Amino acid sequence: MIDKKIISLEQVTKQFGDLFALREISFEAREGERIALLGPSGSGKSTLMNLLTRTLQADQGKIELASQNIDKYVNQKEYAKLVGILRQQFDLVNNLSVINNVLVGRFNEWGTFKSLLSLFKTQDLKIAQLALKKVGMSDKINEMTANLSGGEQQRVAIARLLVQDPKIILADEPVSSLDPNNARIVLNLLNQLVREDQRTLIASMHSVDLSLEFFSRIIGIRGGRILFDKKTDEIEENILKELYEVKKDE
Ligand SMILES: Nc1ncnc2c1ncn2[C@@H]1O[C@H](COP(=O)(O)OP(=O)(O)O)[C@@H](O)[C@H]1O
Ligand SMILES: [Mg+2]
């Protein structure tokens, strides 16, 4: 089977005033790929993620999701069917139980969810329960989300993604605030989720080691440009060194 193209960036540039956060970035992602964005602090990783999550708009160039220009997804629901976002600060609703946080994924937005809270069908509950089981949180279904540890909250956020069922998952440093053990658990779950349904994952990452372990392709970004874009098993030590090298003239 030939994997389908799901994300495409062509000559994408983003400026903040005179500063070029991203310069003429081009790449394509196919279904099933797990892509890590690596690069020193300030290289443009978050800016790139923010363009894909539509938090920011590109100044130049073209971004397509599932062969349609990203700006054409005017309907938030249509976008949410395609794209799921896992945030660094877990954006769960703190004063809501775990199961209800997961159910929010069925409705893509908090407003709709609140108005439908009383109308959940057994079917919805079953889907949410199954998702929580998959991330190993079955025993905490009725716990208040605020009482969970960071790692547990990130697992609940993944369960919510499962329920939302998007084709693409975007995550800006999803495990940076977790200890190594929890980071592994979360990345394992993300991997599983992506592999099971041939989804596409793009995550900006702080840790080189975790990127090499959990991702199939690595894009190195430096100074707003792509320094390399390679399959993980083709990555060599010297290119990683160059990525993080401190140069005087920059
Ligand atoms: N909202 C903003 N306003 C001005 N400059 C910004 C803004 N967001 C990011 N930048 C700048 O753009 C560059 C890239 O930042 P960012 O994408 O956050 O990098 P990374 O995530 O790789 O650390 C940095 O120089 C940063 O200071
Ligand atoms: Mg960042």
Side-chain angles (χ1 to χ4, degrees):
M1 190 180 74
I2 298 166
D3 298 331
K4 275 198 345 223
K5 182 174 79 180
I6 185 104
I7 299 171
S8 139
L9 281 82
E10 257 178 61
Q11 307 272 16
V12 171
T13 294
K14 177 69 194 173
Q15 280 177 259
F16 296 108
D18 291 340
L19 179 110
F20 282 83
L22 293 174
R23 280 179 204 259
E24 297 175 357
I25 296 281
S26 301
F27 70 89
E28 289 182 352
R30 301 187 164 272
E31 288 181 351
E33 282 196 295
R34 289 165 287 121
I35 302 175
L37 303 178
L38 278 179
S41 176
S43 59
K45 303 180 297 296
S46 290
T47 303
L48 181 50
M49 296 307 301
N50 286 336
L51 291 175
L52 293 170
T53 59
R54 307 195 303 177
T55 312
L56 292 172
Q57 266 203 317
D59 294 310
Q60 286 173 58
K62 192 165 85 178
I63 301 178
E64 282 185 352
L65 303 176
S67 304
Q68 178 170 278
N69 194 297
I70 193 167
D71 300 327
K72 292 238 170 90
Y73 291 92
V74 280
N75 183 332
Q76 175 60 25
K77 239 183 170 164
E78 193 194 355
Y79 177 80
K81 253 192 202 161
L82 193 63
V83 179
I85 302 167
L86 192 66
R87 294 184 195 278
Q88 186 176 3
Q89 319 81 328
F90 329 106
D91 60 343
L92 303 171
V93 185
N94 264 321
N95 59 356
L96 207 60
S97 67
V98 164
I99 186 88
N100 277 339
N101 257 304
V102 173
L103 280 164
V104 176
R106 291 289 282 153
F107 296 95
N108 304 325
E109 52 189 286
W110 174 235
T112 321
F113 171 72
K114 226 168 28 180
S115 64
L116 294 177
L117 196 50
S118 56
L119 299 176
F120 282 123
K121 302 191 197 90
T122 326
Q123 171 77 5
D124 294 323
L125 272 173
K126 280 205 176 124
I127 291 171
Q129 278 165 349
L130 189 68
L132 282 165
K133 192 173 170 198
K134 273 195 176 167
V135 301
M137 293 287 292
S138 282
D139 53 335
K140 303 229 165 146
I141 274 183
N142 294 313
E143 192 92 24
M144 286 310 273
T145 308
N147 298 335
L148 303 180
S149 71
E152 288 172 335
Q153 289 195 19
Q154 202 61 320
R155 276 148 72 186
V156 174
I158 291 174
R160 190 175 58 181
L161 277 181
L162 262 169
V163 163
Q164 183 189 335
D165 193 25
K167 299 285 300 167
I168 300 166
I169 295 172
L170 303 174
D172 194 0
E173 301 211 6
V175 297
S176 294
S177 57
L178 303 180
D179 62 66
N181 190 26
N182 274 307
R184 280 216 154 65
I185 292 174
V186 165
L187 287 172
N188 256 319
L189 285 169
L190 260 182
N191 255 297
Q192 228 176 330
L193 168 64
V194 167
R195 283 181 164 167
E196 269 173 11
D197 289 291
Q198 187 77 349
R199 297 177 218 265
T200 306
L201 171 66
I202 301 187
S204 71
M205 291 288 293
H206 186 70
S207 158
V208 171
D209 289 343
L210 290 175
S211 301
L212 294 172
E213 188 178 341
F214 289 98
F215 292 79
S216 61
R217 174 176 160 194
I218 297 185
I219 299 180
I221 301 180
R222 185 177 171 119
R225 297 180 197 274
I226 293 180
L227 181 69
F228 63 83
D229 178 353
K230 286 176 184 291
K231 290 205 171 112
T232 303
D233 51 20
E234 290 166 1
I235 298 277
E236 286 166 2
E237 191 63 41
N238 58 346
I239 195 88
L240 288 170
K241 225 168 125 186
E242 193 183 336
L243 184 64
Y244 292 103
E245 203 170 33
V246 180
K247 288 184 188 158
K248 281 201 182 116
D249 55 349
E250 279 181 31

